[in-house]
Amino acid sequence: EPVAQAYEMGDRTARPPYRYENLRVAVNDMPPIVRASWLRGVSALPNSFAHESYVDELATAAGVDPVAFRLQLLDDPRAAELVRATADKAGWRPRTGPQQREADGGDWLQGQGFAYARYVHSKWPGFGAAWSAWVADVDVNKKTGEVHVRRVVVGHDAGLLVNPAGVEHQVHGNVLQTTSRALKEEVQFAPASAKEQAATREQLPGVLPTGVVASREWGGYPIINFREVPVIEVLQMPR
């Protein structure tokens, strides 16, 4: 039904995967700007992004390497083992602040990013599923701002694997879709016409019609192309 209301599962993975001495989780569900259907990851992706971005900020403020900082906060031995193994496979370069270095003396800077999460299923508080960690090697052009993801190393602990190739294919698809969403994909909006505003008021009383979706065909929707696909290396933990 086309009504502006929150549906469910905005709290998925809202609880951080780290051990904090003091923790309070508040979930403020908000009606979507436009009608939306299911999107891969539901709210787990933005919630995990918020957790990991904040942990990086804390590590920088504390002057501690981001991987070492995470290990201080993880009391799950499987999580810690995965984090160490992924960092090792990726050739993680320890640091105590934002890391960037020039590539071949040109306009490009190189950096590495680390993230960890455990996906949580079902309604609050949910239950944990597979463990995963990532290292991304990223290039940024100082003049143009262009961002290129060169390589992504994914460590994955999904328990006993019945079909390892199937898991690897799934991880490849996850990396491609997420890279595309982060760097390219965007729904464009345009100001609503007087006719559209009137129709919105009639269908959704009390909703202010500030704009309408301008992306109405797939040809104009940007997605990652083959030249932009990163090298993907998958590390599966033997369980």
Side-chain angles (χ1 to χ4, degrees):
E1 187 179 1
V3 293
Q5 65 179 25
Y7 182 48
E8 63 179 19
M9 291 192 290
D11 54 17
R12 181 173 283 190
T13 316
R15 183 187 296 274
Y18 303 105
R19 181 191 68 256
Y20 298 123
E21 291 185 5
N22 299 285
L23 175 66
R24 180 173 63 90
V25 178
V27 179
N28 301 304
D29 278 325
M30 298 169 58
I33 299 173
V34 294
R35 283 188 68 191
S37 185
W38 291 110
L39 186 65
R40 188 74 174 173
V42 199
S43 55
L45 188 150
N47 284 339
S48 293
F49 176 79
H51 295 321
E52 293 305 290
S53 298
Y54 188 54
V55 166
D56 272 347
E57 291 181 21
L58 293 175
T60 298
V64 178
D65 172 69
V67 172
F69 191 83
R70 285 171 169 84
L71 289 172
Q72 293 175 7
L73 300 174
L74 285 172
D75 53 10
D76 180 347
R78 288 177 70 165
E81 183 180 353
L82 177 68
V83 166
R84 292 189 182 97
T86 305
D88 184 63
K89 180 175 177 61
W92 176 259
R93 297 183 291 272
R95 64 180 189 269
T96 57
Q99 179 224 57
Q100 59 184 32
R101 58 179 186 171
E102 290 194 0
D104 303 324
D107 296 329
W108 290 87
L109 295 175
Q110 294 180 340
Q112 278 188 322
F114 191 92
Y116 160 78
R118 189 179 183 196
Y119 187 64
V120 175
H121 275 294
S122 194
K123 295 183 179 179
W124 181 269
F127 55 92
W131 296 256
S132 195
W134 307 264
V135 174
D137 292 327
V138 181
D139 296 340
V140 180
N141 190 294
K142 293 185 292 185
K143 291 185 176 180
T144 66
E146 179 185 352
V147 178
H148 177 61
V149 180
R150 245 181 325 112
R151 181 181 72 145
V152 179
V153 177
V154 184
H156 208 69
D157 182 350
L160 178 63
L161 299 177
V162 177
N163 184 357
V167 175
E168 184 163 339
H169 295 161
Q170 178 81 4
V171 173
H172 275 228
N174 293 345
V175 173
L176 290 177
Q177 187 182 57
T178 307
T179 304
S180 181
R181 281 167 61 175
L183 298 183
K184 297 282 222 169
E185 301 182 32
E186 181 182 11
V187 175
Q188 299 288 335
F189 291 85
S193 65
K195 182 178 180 181
E196 289 165 332
Q197 290 185 29
T200 300
R201 291 193 187 94
E202 182 178 343
Q203 295 176 13
L204 303 173
V207 175
L208 183 64
T210 56
V212 295
V213 176
S215 305
R216 300 193 177 188
E217 46 85 26
W218 288 111
Y221 185 80
I223 61 174
I224 196 171
N225 61 43
F226 284 110
R227 293 183 61 222
E228 298 166 312
V229 170
V231 173
I232 303 172
E233 300 177 28
V234 181
L235 169 67
Q236 302 191 38
M237 302 298 283
R239 296 294 182 191

